[in-house]
Each structure stands twice: as structure tokens, then as C-alpha cells.
Amino acid sequence: MTGPLGEYLRARRELVGPAEVGLPPHGRRRVPGLRREEVALLAGISADYYLRLEQGRDRNPSDQVVEALARALRLDTDATAHLRRLARPTPVRPTRRPERVPVGIRRLVDSWTDTPAFVYGRHADVLFANAGATALAPFFVAGTNVLRAVFLDPGAPAAYPLDEAVVANAVASLRALVAADPDDPRLADLVEELSRGSDRFRRLWARYDVGVRSGGGLRTFHHPRVGELHLRYEKLVISGTDQVLVIYHADPGSASAAALRELTRPGGNVSASPGG
């Protein structure tokens, strides 16, 4: 059995071309990326030892070897941290309690009558959403899993189109969660369900990219009543929890701001249909 460490090493070396690390191509290659012996050479370890790591016959490399492999595979900060976790697995964590959004956050989010906002938890489940969020999109409602909506709902791309970078970041964030708590059965079930139902997810998951949930950006929504909205969003980690607060807002004076006011006015909350 290869094991998580070996799977990660293999996946990452397949993403690095010889030219990226200053190696000659050496003719035709049967596999993408670097060969095992090339990674070993770059890391300054024997090819046999690297083979044992990738095959799962040695799962506890030294810190020096881990750092050398990270440099050889050109891993960024998040990916290197993930490699360290795989080389030094943490003990099994106790069963987690059900996630509850802090009362103060619930009241704050509910008070934003014209600002769509919702909170999702560590499994990407929407835990709480205000009326503006549920009016904006049907999957921003408590009980919905955002990742299932993105990858498994056939109507979601029409209502909530996402570019490849955004979707890849979501998968990388999920990978980071699984790495931090590999014994969480709900995360394992979610990965299995998404892998079974989505070719796009399987392709991105196989890259073994690792990231963190943070930041903001711009999203486009297609709403059946108010049309197209271009909204900025912010993602804020709620202190002391694994929860993330997502807030959508429009540029002042824009057409999207007018559409958002229409959408969130009392009596005007007509949710978008994914298939509409």
C-alpha cells in the first residue's frame, strides 16, 4: 500500500517538468513530470530510498529529507506544510461536537438586510444564511453543502459560474482540511461522493494542491428576476471556530447595486433557480 505520503510525492513529481528544475529532457518520457531518480538526485538522497518513500515502505523521513524533497518538487508554503504533516502524522482527534454559529455572528448577519451573507463550516455546509443570501442563490441556504452544489448540481454553473482558479482553490482548501484531520469520516465521505460524481473534481483532487480558505474577489451571478450581478465578496474566518463568514456586496452606484437592492427589498426575495 502506497499511503498518503507516497501518493503525494508521486502526484507532485508528475507536475514538475525537467526544464523547470534545470534537467535535460533525455528524449521521450513514458510518464509526465520528473522520474523518481531525478527527484532523488535533486533532493540529494539515494534513488532506492526515494522509491521506498513513494511505495510506502518508509513513511518517516527526517526533517532534512522533507525539506530537500520540498525544494526538489518546487512546493510552495502550503504544499510544504502538507508534506510535513504527511511525514509526521498527528494523533487521532476526539469526536467533534456539532458546529454552531456564535449567537453574535447570527445576529450580525441577520441585521444586514441588503447584504447577502452566510456562514459555512469545516465540511462546507452552510450553517446560517440571511435572507439576502438565500434570495441570491438557492444553495446559500442552511443545510446545503457548497461543494456538492458546485460539483454535483448540473444547474449551478448557469446561476453561479466559477472559473477554474476559483474551483481549484476550493479543492485545495478541502485537501488542506483532510490533511489536518485525516480521520474525519464526514470529510472522507464528502471526498468520495465528489470523486464519484464529478470528473472535474477528480481531476483537481488528483493534483494534490493544498491551500487555505481566505481572501476575497469578484463573482458573477445570473438571477432569473434581476439579471446579471457582479458582486465582490469577502471571506472571513470566525475566531475560535472552523467557520467562515462570506459577505457579498456591490460597487456603489453600479447596476449590480441597484439589482441587489431590488433583490433584497422586503417581499422581493425570489431565489434563483439553478436551472433557470
Side-chain angles (χ1 to χ4, degrees), residues 19-230:
E20 296 179 66
V21 292
L23 292 176
H26 290 308
R28 295 185 60 186
R29 289 174 171 260
R30 292 179 296 174
V31 295
L34 297 176
R35 298 186 178 102
R36 293 188 181 97
E37 58 269 24
E38 291 171 333
V39 177
L41 175 66
L42 291 167
I45 60 177
S46 71
D48 179 67
Y49 180 54
Y50 178 79
L51 179 62
R52 295 203 307 272
L53 288 173
E54 197 167 291
Q55 291 182 341
R57 292 186 285 127
D58 190 320
R59 303 184 183 184
N60 299 107
S62 67
D63 292 340
Q64 292 83 357
V65 169
V66 170
E67 298 305 316
L69 288 170
R71 290 192 297 271
L73 296 171
R74 303 175 66 84
L75 301 183
D76 61 18
T77 301
D78 289 333
T80 299
H82 182 59
L83 180 61
R84 294 191 191 108
R85 285 191 294 267
L86 292 177
R88 301 287 183 272
T90 56
V92 177
R93 297 184 181 182
T95 303
R96 290 178 175 269
R97 296 178 180 177
E99 292 184 293
R100 291 184 175 85
V101 180
V103 173
I105 296 295
R106 294 170 65 98
R107 290 174 177 169
L108 177 64
V109 170
D110 229 7
S111 71
W112 293 336
T113 55
D114 58 352
T115 303
F118 66 94
V119 177
Y120 68 84
R122 68 185 314 272
H123 302 103
D125 296 320
V126 177
L127 304 175
F128 184 78
N130 63 14
T134 56
L136 182 61
F139 31 84
F140 294 159
V141 60
T144 299
N145 185 277
V146 177
L147 288 175
R148 288 193 184 98
V150 169
F151 288 103
L152 303 181
D153 186 337
Y160 185 50
L162 298 173
D163 61 35
E164 188 75 358
V166 171
V167 177
N169 183 64
V171 176
S173 296
L174 179 59
R175 173 72 73 177
L177 287 173
V178 172
D181 197 354
D183 298 300
D184 186 325
R186 285 200 60 199
L187 286 175
D189 289 345
L190 179 60
V191 171
E192 180 181 358
E193 180 182 0
L194 296 175
S195 298
R196 188 171 57 247
S198 170
D199 292 337
R200 189 183 195 187
F201 178 84
R202 283 196 301 274
R203 173 174 54 79
L204 292 171
W205 187 253
R207 289 180 54 87
Y208 278 76
D209 290 331
V210 182
V212 293
R213 303 171 296 181
S214 61
L218 185 68
R219 293 280 193 274
T220 298
F221 292 83
H222 299 290
H223 197 281
R225 188 167 65 83
V226 299
E228 188 172 271
L229 298 96
H230 302 286

